[in-house]
Amino acid sequence: MITADAVDATIFQALEAVNTEREPDDQVDVTTETTLFGVDAALDSLEFVSLITDVETTMNLEHELGISLADDRAMSRPVSPYSTVTTLRDYILELAAEK
């Protein structure tokens, strides 16, 4: 079973990949409270899609957890699982528990 720390590390790694494409004075904070999606998002739409793709790929390849983060289930929730690193982590752990 995957742990919360492992999921956080995967999301942080994806955020660091985003930061490699940004100017030094425009870096995304890499914390569990970083806003990923919505009005105050730290990421633009292309960076967000890249982050989700990177996280899905890493979950599959390194943790043998084949999940889809961009589906109707995620989109229909009253609180978006994409809001922050914490909400994304919790959603991934929920999907992992169902496997």
Side-chain angles (χ1 to χ4, degrees):
M1 180 61 77
I2 193 162
T3 66
D5 288 341
V7 175
D8 281 344
T10 298
I11 298 169
F12 290 166
Q13 180 181 13
L15 284 170
E16 291 294 351
V18 168
N19 278 336
T20 64
E21 301 296 321
R22 287 180 163 217
E23 296 296 322
D25 61 339
D26 190 30
Q27 298 289 293
V28 174
D29 289 333
V30 180
T31 73
T32 56
E33 297 309 311
T34 300
T35 304
L36 304 174
F37 186 77
V39 177
D40 297 322
L43 309 175
D44 66 26
S45 58
L46 206 51
E47 291 169 333
F48 175 76
V49 170
S50 178
L51 175 101
I52 294 299
T53 302
D54 287 352
V55 170
E56 280 183 352
T57 301
T58 301
M59 287 290 119
N60 187 24
L61 295 177
E62 293 183 14
H63 302 285
E64 298 180 355
L65 182 61
I67 58 172
S68 176
L69 297 175
D71 58 13
D72 291 338
R73 179 177 171 185
M75 301 297 204
S76 65
R77 291 178 169 232
V79 175
S80 173
Y82 312 124
S83 298
T84 66
V85 170
T86 298
T87 59
L88 181 57
R89 177 199 63 216
D90 292 347
Y91 185 59
I92 292 168
L93 291 172
E94 179 183 325
L95 294 175
E98 294 172 359
K99 293 285 181 180

